[in-house]
Every structure is written in structure tokens, then in C-alpha cells.
Amino acid sequence: MDTLLFSNVFIAGCAVAQGWMTYLLLLIPVDYIVLVILGCATLALYNFSMILAKPQHPETSPYRRVRWVFRHERSLWVWTGVALIVAFVLGLQLHMPSFILLGVMGVMGLAYNMPIMRVAGRQRRAGLRQITGLKLFYIGLVWLMSSVLLPVAEAYHDDFQIVWPQVVQLMGWVFLFVVAITIPFDIRDIYQDKYYGLKTIPVLFGERKALTLSTMLLVLHIGWVWFSNYSLDIRLALSIASLITLFFILFSPVKKNEYYYFLLLDGTMLLQFLAVYLALYL
């Protein structure tokens, strides 16, 4: 289980699931090359971000994930390199606008953690995550670009019919859902973020208000889905997935350890896809 979660293979699978859900909801033929690119790019980006954020003494970290990652750092570098090569080679088969979009997403992902800007009061440069309140919205933007815009861009240039209001709607749904499930991660890291000077939503407004925001985003997601023009089966599937997610956030049935965050919460993105898939094909 540790290998699946902490090597970021699981979150890469969730990215594939979110991209596949876009094809299902927009009634576009599935492009498996795009899905493989999504999985490889996500794996490489998450691994690189973890390695880049290496603490001084990872072996003493209170986080099981950090200790695991840096015991296997060499292997992660290898798999990150392989994933990058596969994503790049397959990316060359995309239309140029899609390839450029893929590159923009890669740069955005790197800029999030790369020390590219000066921060007042700090001797070392920092990534964009240091900008006050940016983290949640930045992550939501990158996820909607990867799981919605990239599949749609490639399908559009393959001359498939695209219903643009549905695309915008789906982008909104992905943004709301991803931001909602990211907030609990920030609540978990609130003391660490305070120490490193990260101005996340929980740091700025406190745990209770952050949970309230997460709840509001999921409720808004459910309401938007319910009053959309999709069939009752699809609306029920997405709404149930969001209600289960809300239950996990507010009334966790398990201890809030790293499996809760990286399996249960991240896994809600996979749950969304499975719910839609079952609604369409059962």
C-alpha cells in the first residue's frame, strides 16, 4: 500500500480517472494517448515536487510518506525520468496547441515548488505556493486544465463536436471538487505551514472556517450538478460521490492518518469516475 500511495502511482491513476470522466460526460471518444500522458505527467510532477521539498532530516520526519519517499529517492528519480520521457514522446503525437497546453501545465506545476521568487524575510527563494492564499486555487486550476482542457483541446483539433457550455460547467465542477478535498490537507499541515510561513486558508482563517469553506464548495458542487441538464442517473452518481466525500471530510470513519488523506480523500476523484461510469454502463 505504501508503494502505491507514496510513489504517487495512485494519484496518477486518479488523474487518469478524472480525464476519462471528461470524455464520458462530454460524450467524446476516449483518447487513450491523452490518458497515458495525464498519468505519466502527474506521476512525474508529484514525485519531482516531493523530492524538491526534501527536508534536512527526512528520516526523522513525523510523516510516514516523507520517510518512505527519501528511503526510495533513487528509485523515484528513475520512475520520474521514465514518466517524463513517456509523456514527452507521446506528447509529440498531440496537435501543437495541445502540446503547448501540456507544456504550460508542466511549467505551472514546477513553478509551484521551484524557488523562483524572493520572499520578504527569507534568505532563500521560494515557489509560487508562498503567495498568500494562492495554493488551493492554483491546484484547482492545474487540475481543471489537465483533466478537462487537455482532453477537450485534443478532441477539438481531431474535429469532434464540443459543447462549450458543458466544458465550462465541467471545469467549474472539477475546480470546486478539487479545492474542497485539498482543504483538509492544508488543515493537517497547519502547524507546519505556520512554521514555514505558508499563508494557506487554514493558517489565515483557522480550521473551523476552512472546513466550512470545504463544505460550502461541495454543497455548491452538488447543487450545480443537480440543476444541470444531465440525466438523472449522472446527477445522482455525481451527487452521491460528493455526499460521500463530504461525509469523509466532516465525519471521518477512520483515523486521520496518511492513508486517510492519500487513499480516502484522493480516492474520491476515482470514486467520481466510477460513479459516472456505472451510471452510464449499468
Side-chain angles (χ1 to χ4, degrees), residues 115-153:
I116 60 173
M117 67 176 196
R118 294 187 181 278
V119 178
R122 292 172 64 97
Q123 294 182 345
R124 299 175 62 183
R125 292 176 179 268
L128 294 180
R129 63 184 303 188
Q130 291 283 350
I131 298 177
T132 300
L134 179 67
K135 179 180 178 180
L136 290 174
F137 306 101
Y138 198 88
I139 291 174
L141 178 62
V142 171
W143 271 90
L144 73 85
M145 290 175 68
S146 62
S147 61
V148 180
L149 282 186
L150 183 61
V152 168

Side-chain angles (χ1 to χ4, degrees), residues 26-251:
L26 299 181
L27 301 178
I28 303 170
V30 179
D31 188 330
Y32 293 102
I33 289 179
V34 170
L35 293 184
V36 173
I37 291 172
L38 282 179
C40 289
T42 302
L43 178 65
L45 191 57
Y46 270 71
N47 278 345
F48 187 74
S49 296
M50 275 297 300
I51 294 170
L52 194 64
K54 183 178 182 178
Q56 286 188 340
H57 302 287
E59 68 279 359
T60 62
S61 172
Y63 296 111
R64 183 185 184 98
R65 182 191 188 208
V66 172
R67 298 194 303 272
W68 188 95
V69 164
F70 293 103
R71 282 200 308 270
H72 301 84
E73 183 176 358
R74 184 173 298 178
S75 296
L76 289 183
W77 273 116
V78 172
W79 285 108
T80 299
V82 171
L84 278 174
I85 292 170
V86 172
F88 179 78
V89 171
L90 292 180
L92 294 175
Q93 300 184 41
L94 301 177
H95 295 89
M96 184 55 65
S98 304
F99 185 74
I100 293 173
L101 177 60
L102 180 64
V104 169
M105 292 187 300
V107 170
M108 289 179 66
L110 291 176
Y112 178 70
N113 281 302
M114 288 284 287
I116 60 173
M117 67 176 196
R118 294 187 181 278
V119 178
R122 292 172 64 97
Q123 294 182 345
R124 299 175 62 183
R125 292 176 179 268
L128 294 180
R129 63 184 303 188
Q130 291 283 350
I131 298 177
T132 300
L134 179 67
K135 179 180 178 180
L136 290 174
F137 306 101
Y138 198 88
I139 291 174
L141 178 62
V142 171
W143 271 90
L144 73 85
M145 290 175 68
S146 62
S147 61
V148 180
L149 282 186
L150 183 61
V152 168
E154 189 63 8
Y156 174 77
H157 288 95
D158 280 334
D159 295 325
F160 291 110
Q161 183 176 1
I162 304 297
V163 182
W164 292 106
Q166 281 189 324
V167 173
V168 174
Q169 177 177 255
L170 184 53
M171 288 167 59
W173 290 357
V174 169
F175 183 84
L176 290 174
F177 192 85
V178 169
V179 172
I181 66 172
T182 302
I183 288 174
F185 285 84
D186 282 350
I187 293 174
R188 179 200 63 169
D189 296 335
I190 187 169
Y191 296 108
Q192 176 179 287
D193 289 343
K194 284 181 179 179
Y195 177 80
Y196 288 109
L198 297 180
K199 303 298 185 181
T200 62
I201 297 298
V203 169
L204 292 171
F205 302 107
E207 180 178 342
R208 181 171 296 182
K209 289 183 179 179
L211 276 177
T212 300
L213 176 60
S214 180
T215 301
M216 290 173 58
L217 292 175
L218 283 173
V219 170
L220 180 59
H221 180 273
I222 294 169
W224 193 351
V225 165
W226 195 251
F227 290 102
S228 69
N229 293 325
Y230 280 99
S231 67
L232 179 60
D233 287 349
I234 295 295
R235 286 182 287 144
L236 275 174
L238 287 170
S239 297
I240 290 171
S242 288
L243 285 171
I244 292 173
T245 303
L246 185 58
F247 175 78
F248 287 161
I249 291 174
L250 295 180
F251 310 103

